[in-house]
Amino acid sequence: MKRTPKFAVLCAALVAGTLIIAPSATAAPGAPTGPNEKGPSGDISVLQGYAVDTWASLDAMTEKKTGLPADKLQGDLSEPSDNTSPTNIGGYLWSVISARDLGIISKQDAFHRMKTTLKTLERIERHEPSGMFYNWYSPRDGHKLTTWPGSGDPVDPFLSSVDNGWLAASFRIVAEAEPRLARSADALYASMDFGYFHDLAGGANAVNGAGLNRGGFWVTPPPGCNVPGNYGDDGSELYYTCHHYDTSVSEARIVNYLGIANGQIPAEAYYGTLRTMPDQGCDFAWQEQKPTGETREYLGVPVYEGVYEYRGMKLVPAWGGSMFEALMPDLLVPEADWGPQSWAVNHPASVRAQIEHGLDEAGYGYWGFSPASDPFDEYAEYGVEGVGMSADGYASDRERTNVDAGYEGCREASKPNPEFGDGVVTPHASFLALPYDKPAVLSNLAGIKNDLGAYGPGGFYDAVATQSGTIADRYLSLDQSMIMAAIANELLDDRLKDYFVDDAFEAAVRPLVGAQVFGSRLE
């Protein structure tokens, strides 16, 4: 993977009147050497402090012998779980780079951490010839899980398209950020063929006929629904999920970005996912609301540019209305810069919807809704249901309050103005919004920390219920790594995006993003 550096690391340089101080090679943990001085110095200090504490949780959950992070960790930084996923590992790798560039750890510490992780990934079991990683491994020794730790329940080894997408993304970042590891990272990246996930026929998407990505596949038949086939070129039978990723506002769009850039997925697939379900009589009246929009054509693919209305805005919804679906890919791909008529409008609209739901519509006093550790159980999917496509999508409160405004001409509203209950906010969702409303983010996080008390030795706990004050006093690896990436981008001028994007990627992907025109508007 030939890459053109986007910037040079300098000890001190004056660029457009802004002083940039690079991390010291001998920086000690907890001793930041100064990120880009951007914005009020108090904001920089606050975000840097959050990064230092967040890194403590990622450090505590990582097995030193393998360089693999646990999926989760208790709030006192004890009891890391004995399972990890490709997404967790990818997030850890870019978190190491973020910690290094923010001056939290030294260059040599970061190098040895990443080298250990890559060495483990080179030897653990994968599916050949796709090069894809299984979804669950033990961080202790890297073996593929076939029984679940603790319960002993059977695990059917699965290969997830989106999880492999995030791991592959981290290989691109490592290759650019640490030249000494470029050969290893590039080799791992080059071995992964995302064509194995891509269904050229489009399967379930009968709306525009373009290809879609499956959720993943098993090598042996699992119990339950599966679709035999093989989208690769080795001829062996695989067993695919019965679902495709068919919505545009989804974290799974990282797979299309990578597959298209690599020439493994056709460019047309970028337009194969749906903005909303189309407005076709009552055929799609199950969706959350009746969309409005018009049809445009891109690369021969007809696309219904549907939008939902929410509090005076128009936006393309996610399936469940969560921040994670809307903004996780934006951590690495400069979507708003490349898509002035699409993501540049939709991302701030998604953020505003979250803010207005939390503060005004539901009256929680706080905002930021995304799948997370559950204060009342283990895990739950939280979101703003009114901007989610699924009629029974992700609720924002413990009571799983359903919002139903009906569907004109097809079904009557059953609950257009519900009373919301104990709202659950997830701090990582706020961090994802940093590029679009930093003052609101910092204010919200300060309240979650100081008023709700959802902060511990590893940074923000994963979720907190705003009414009862119940805290999910755990740390999830994925959510902590999103926080690290968001802070590094904010303080270091989108540095992770610079690491991720090379000239070839930009040439393949930017024109596709730039061509699309959403119907989104802020007011």
Side-chain angles (χ1 to χ4, degrees), residues 161-184:
S161 56
V162 65
D163 282 271
N164 274 285
W166 292 115
L167 180 56
S170 76
F171 295 152
R172 294 180 61 90
I173 295 170
V174 171
E176 177 72 5
E178 181 46 79
R180 292 175 289 179
L181 295 173
R183 179 177 295 180
S184 295

Side-chain angles (χ1 to χ4, degrees), residues 86-156:
T87 297
N88 293 334
I89 300 165
Y92 171 70
L93 285 169
W94 73 58
S95 295
V96 171
I97 293 164
S98 299
R100 181 199 70 181
D101 287 4
L102 289 167
I104 299 170
I105 62 176
S106 71
K107 290 181 179 178
Q108 280 304 105
D109 184 14
F111 170 77
H112 288 299
R113 286 174 179 272
M114 291 187 287
K115 182 179 179 180
T116 299
T117 304
L118 294 180
K119 288 293 184 185
T120 299
L121 293 173
E122 288 170 349
R123 67 170 174 78
I124 63 177
E125 184 178 353
R126 291 194 277 166
H127 171 254
E128 299 297 345
S130 72
M132 294 297 163
F133 290 81
Y134 287 92
N135 223 41
W136 296 112
Y137 296 93
S138 167
R140 289 184 294 103
D141 58 12
H143 77 267
K144 180 183 72 179
L145 295 184
T146 55
T147 58
W148 199 250
S151 70
D153 293 339
V155 172
D156 296 297

